[in-house]
Amino acid sequence: MEFRDLKRQYQVLKPQIDAAVLDTMASAGFIGGTRVQALEERLARYVGVKHCVTCGNGTDALQLMLMAWGVGPGDAVFVPDFTFFASGEVVPYVGAVPVFYDVCRETFNASAESLEQAIQAVLAEGKLKPKAVIAVDLYGLPADYPAIGAVAEKYGLKVLEDAAQGFGGCVGLNRAGSFGDGACTSFFPAKPLGCYGDGGAVFTDDDETAALVRSLCVHGKGGDKYDNVRIGMNSRLDALQAAVLDVKLTAFERDELMAVNRAAGWYGEALAGLPLALPVAPEGFYSSWAQYTVRAADRQTRDALQAALKARGIPTMVYYPKPMHSQTAFRGARQYVPCPNAEHLCGTVLSLPMHPYLDQETVQTVAEGVRAHFA
Ligand SMILES: *Cc1c(COP(=O)(O)O)cnc(C)c1O
């Protein structure tokens, strides 16, 4: 059994992907060009924002957005304590300080209350200037942007949506990538919309931010590539990845997003009544199910369940075993607010196999394994 079956996806999409890749190679236009531009326009339309600028990966996308906003030394950037390392890694990279805040247990996403406490703790200390808040669409579920946005507005902070896992999710009629003052996504192969290597993008409605990101991702270019007006980086999506993504976006819109939601429904039925908390999408929220993550009562139960499933050949993952504030790379950083939910989740979450090509039989097999363990 595959945790995320990318081979199966390729078999289904092979004729179109092969044709698009071969065509790109024959054109010998590998960097930039019409394929990348057309993809950016398509992505912006899908997400519902004015600008999409593609780049080398999701981590660069986050960094580029912080650079474009002028976040730097002396600034505090608020980051959920329960997320992939990159969400916080980019903050010291631009010279600012990451301040970790807690998440909600049920949604795994940013807690607006904890965010406000963290902002107040930073203000009370008087050393750092609260500048921006990052919220993450963890496992495919958009964060509570209305609540986060209200706190951010009260203290004059920009909101950056980390939609690396969220692409395809919605709140009401608004799609992931359209929340906050700007958003970033990743096209890492295992993300909801993945390419065949690394790739990423930023989304924004703001013309000036988009223009700055376009400059920053090509060595701070001015009028052209050899007129460099600021210090930037080299972070581009290549045309081969754009060719793959164009085919995959069609499949994503047509089948895949529906398929993962159907699979999540099967899991919900098959796992009902067991001593596990199943993932929930609040009213009006729609997930793209980057992961299907259950919660066990405690660490011992989670670890035993994972081992029992492994013995049956069922792959599972723990996303994420350590809260951000416990990462060795952040040792010595001040913890402004307690993050008990993040700590609890690191010890209790377990992600089950999930992808658009998962069939009902496989979901039943996973559920039987879980049931047998608790029997
Ligand atoms: C994957 C991921 C990133 C980083 O994306 P890369 O393309 O791997 O650099 C950032 N944030 C979150 C939440 C992610 O899951």
Side-chain angles (χ1 to χ4, degrees):
M1 193 185 297
E2 299 280 331
F3 184 72
R4 188 169 183 91
D5 200 345
L6 294 173
K7 285 186 194 136
R8 172 97 184 100
Q9 184 193 42
Y10 175 60
Q11 285 312 318
V12 171
L13 305 176
K14 187 175 186 322
Q16 298 94 303
I17 287 181
D18 288 1
V21 166
L22 289 173
D23 193 54
T24 307
M25 290 201 283
S27 78
F30 295 112
I31 302 286
T34 51
R35 274 189 190 276
V36 174
Q37 197 188 333
L39 178 74
E40 288 178 342
E41 284 162 14
R42 211 181 149 194
L43 286 167
R45 232 178 7 254
Y46 178 80
V47 163
V49 295
K50 207 163 158 195
H51 305 282
C52 167
V53 184
T54 54
C55 62
N57 56 69
T59 310
D60 283 359
L62 292 165
Q63 188 188 328
L64 283 161
M65 205 56 120
L66 294 180
M67 287 168 82
W69 288 346
V71 176
D75 293 335
V77 177
F78 299 85
V79 179
D81 198 38
F82 187 63
T83 179
F84 178 58
F85 187 65
S87 310
E89 181 182 23
V90 292
V91 177
Y93 216 89
V94 298
V97 175
V99 175
F100 301 115
Y101 65 99
D102 207 6
V103 297
C104 306
R105 275 193 196 197
E106 286 71 30
T107 62
F108 311 103
N109 277 337
S111 156
E113 292 86 67
S114 180
L115 169 64
E116 183 154 23
Q117 282 168 17
I119 296 169
Q120 286 176 350
V122 166
L123 289 172
E125 185 196 37
K127 277 193 189 154
L128 300 168
K129 184 176 184 300
K131 191 71 178 259
V133 49
I134 295 177
V136 180
D137 304 338
L138 207 70
Y139 307 146
L141 181 71
D144 188 352
Y145 291 98
I148 296 292
V151 174
E153 201 182 331
K154 187 167 158 190
Y155 296 93
L157 309 189
K158 282 205 185 294
V159 177
L160 175 52
E161 177 190 4
D162 180 348
Q165 300 179 16
F167 192 85
C170 309
V171 183
L173 295 174
N174 299 312
R175 288 215 166 106
S178 71
F179 301 112
D181 299 283
C184 299
T185 200
S186 163
F187 304 122
F188 181 80
K191 307 281 172 162
L193 178 66
C195 60
Y196 283 174
D198 278 309
V202 309
F203 298 97
T204 181
D205 279 323
D206 187 62
D207 298 345
E208 198 189 320
T209 305
L212 267 171
V213 171
R214 272 201 195 286
S215 162
L216 287 165
C217 70
V218 185
H219 306 290
K221 70 173 177 183
D224 69 61
K225 209 160 101 174
Y226 303 107
D227 168 31
N228 307 91
V229 297
R230 56 180 63 83
I231 299 300
M233 56 203 275
N234 174 23
S235 183
R236 297 175 293 217
L237 184 79
D238 63 66
L240 284 170
Q241 301 305 340
V244 170
L245 283 168
D246 187 53
V247 174
K248 289 235 219 162
L249 181 55
T250 301
F252 187 84
E253 289 189 72
R254 192 186 52 212
D255 310 310
E256 293 186 350
L257 186 55
M258 265 181 298
V260 283
N261 275 278
R262 196 167 53 223
W266 291 334
Y267 268 129
E269 286 165 27
L271 297 172
L274 289 166
L276 284 175
L278 304 184
V280 291
E283 184 74 35
F285 283 63
Y286 184 78
S287 179
S288 60
W289 299 104
Q291 304 297 339
Y292 188 87
T293 304
V294 299
R295 288 182 288 132
D298 51 42
R299 183 182 292 271
Q300 222 179 342
T301 311
R302 191 270 311 274
D303 291 349
L305 175 61
Q306 183 172 39
L309 292 174
K310 190 178 175 198
R312 286 175 166 248
I314 298 170
T316 61
M317 300 292 285
V318 174
Y319 297 124
Y320 296 94
K322 261 188 191 185
M324 295 291 270
H325 75 261
S326 303
Q327 289 288 359
T328 311
F330 292 125
R331 72 187 170 274
R334 175 163 175 205
Q335 204 184 337
Y336 286 84
V337 289
C339 296
N341 290 338
E343 278 166 25
H344 176 80
L345 290 171
C346 289
T348 55
V349 291
L350 190 66
S351 299
L352 305 178
M354 181 51 130
H355 57 85
Y357 300 91
L358 194 63
D359 55 31
Q360 195 166 9
E361 210 183 311
T362 308
V363 170
Q364 291 301 343
T365 306
V366 176
E368 272 161 35
V370 177
R371 239 166 237 296
H373 177 67
F374 285 115

